[in-house]
Amino acid sequence: MLIKIYEDNPNPKAIQQAVDILKKGGVIIYPTDTVYGIGCDITNQKAIERVCSIRGLRPDKANLSFICYDLTDISQYTKPFDTTVFRVLKKALPGPFTFIFNASNQVPKLLSSKKKTVGIRVPDNSIVREIVKELGNPIVTASIHDEDEIIEYSTDPELIYEKYEDKVDMVIDGGYGDNIASTVVDLTNGEFEVIRDGKGDLDLYL
């Protein structure tokens, strides 16, 4: 299923359709503020395994991130962090960043892995954030990669649909995606360490 949703004013019925699919253990492809992502409800183990299978990842080794609606969700999945970190997050999010935290005990249970860290995203995209808000918990996310050697990420939702229509339950057309991924920032040592330069400029918020 390919469904058009406009970011400026996401249609609540279309958002609900996506949520219903996720609640039933479905897998969807959606726009973010960077590249298109593929994901599912974090509480559904079979769906997580499906996402990993589609992306060719091992569930116990995959660096999957959680998309949260806002900062209030984050503390459930991370070990406590100090107020300096919180202040930066508050300024930088929603935005094109993935922050890597030490994971709370909740995360390995959700992912059936021994993961000690978790990546958190709060994208500046109202479509995916509304889906997460209506779902009531985060979704696991992985980026949609392109086989093209020059273009790393797939940006055209119709081409993404052609490629994945038999593998996923819904592709959301939210317009052309970016082909620059999020900036990844490691916070596991309490310091801001950029481990992948992407769309976000962390210096603006430090």
Side-chain angles (χ1 to χ4, degrees):
M1 182 196 307
L2 179 66
I3 186 166
K4 179 87 184 163
I5 304 181
Y6 294 95
E7 197 199 339
D8 288 348
N9 197 5
N11 178 338
K13 272 192 180 161
I15 295 290
Q16 193 56 52
Q17 249 182 303
V19 170
D20 291 343
I21 286 170
L22 291 170
K23 283 185 172 167
K24 289 177 188 152
V27 171
I28 66 170
I29 289 175
Y30 41 83
T32 71
D33 53 352
T34 57
V35 300
Y36 266 79
I38 179 170
C40 64
D41 186 334
I42 59 166
T43 62
N44 191 305
Q45 191 54 44
K46 281 206 169 75
I48 293 171
E49 284 164 14
R50 239 181 100 194
V51 168
C52 289
S53 167
I54 292 165
R55 281 281 284 101
L57 305 166
R58 278 179 53 185
D60 57 335
K61 296 270 195 264
N63 288 321
L64 300 167
S65 298
F66 292 179
I67 291 187
C68 298
Y69 176 70
D70 60 18
L71 286 177
T72 53
D73 290 338
I74 291 179
S75 56
Q76 287 181 60
Y77 308 106
T78 67
K79 291 210 166 135
F81 48 86
D82 65 29
T83 49
T84 315
V85 169
F86 183 76
R87 276 202 293 270
V88 173
L89 294 180
K90 212 167 171 196
K91 285 188 280 187
L93 298 174
F97 297 95
T98 301
F99 288 102
I100 311 285
F101 292 91
N102 291 308
S104 71
N105 296 336
Q106 184 83 338
V107 171
K109 282 185 238 154
L110 291 167
L111 296 180
S112 286
S113 73
K114 297 189 173 75
K115 277 190 87 63
K116 302 278 196 297
T117 61
V118 61
I120 299 285
R121 285 272 280 128
V122 182
D124 189 9
N125 179 291
S126 55
I127 297 169
V128 70
R129 286 181 69 225
E130 282 303 310
I131 290 169
V132 168
K133 188 180 180 186
E134 287 305 311
L135 182 64
N137 53 259
I139 54 181
V140 161
T141 189
S143 301
I144 292 289
H145 283 262
D146 201 293
E147 266 79 62
D148 189 304
E149 286 176 13
I150 300 164
I151 306 163
E152 194 179 348
Y153 299 99
S154 308
T155 58
D156 182 336
E158 293 196 5
L159 294 179
I160 291 171
Y161 177 66
E162 278 174 31
K163 184 176 170 185
Y164 289 97
E165 62 179 310
D166 298 332
K167 297 177 182 171
V168 302
D169 303 286
M170 175 188 272
V171 175
I172 295 170
D173 175 353
Y176 272 86
D178 215 319
N179 63 355
I180 302 169
S182 62
T183 295
V184 180
V185 184
D186 188 340
L187 287 168
T188 54
N189 295 319
E191 303 289 321
F192 290 90
E193 186 192 346
V194 175
I195 54 175
R196 179 181 76 190
D197 273 317
K199 195 174 172 185
D201 181 358
L202 190 67
D203 290 341
L204 299 173
Y205 307 103
L206 294 176

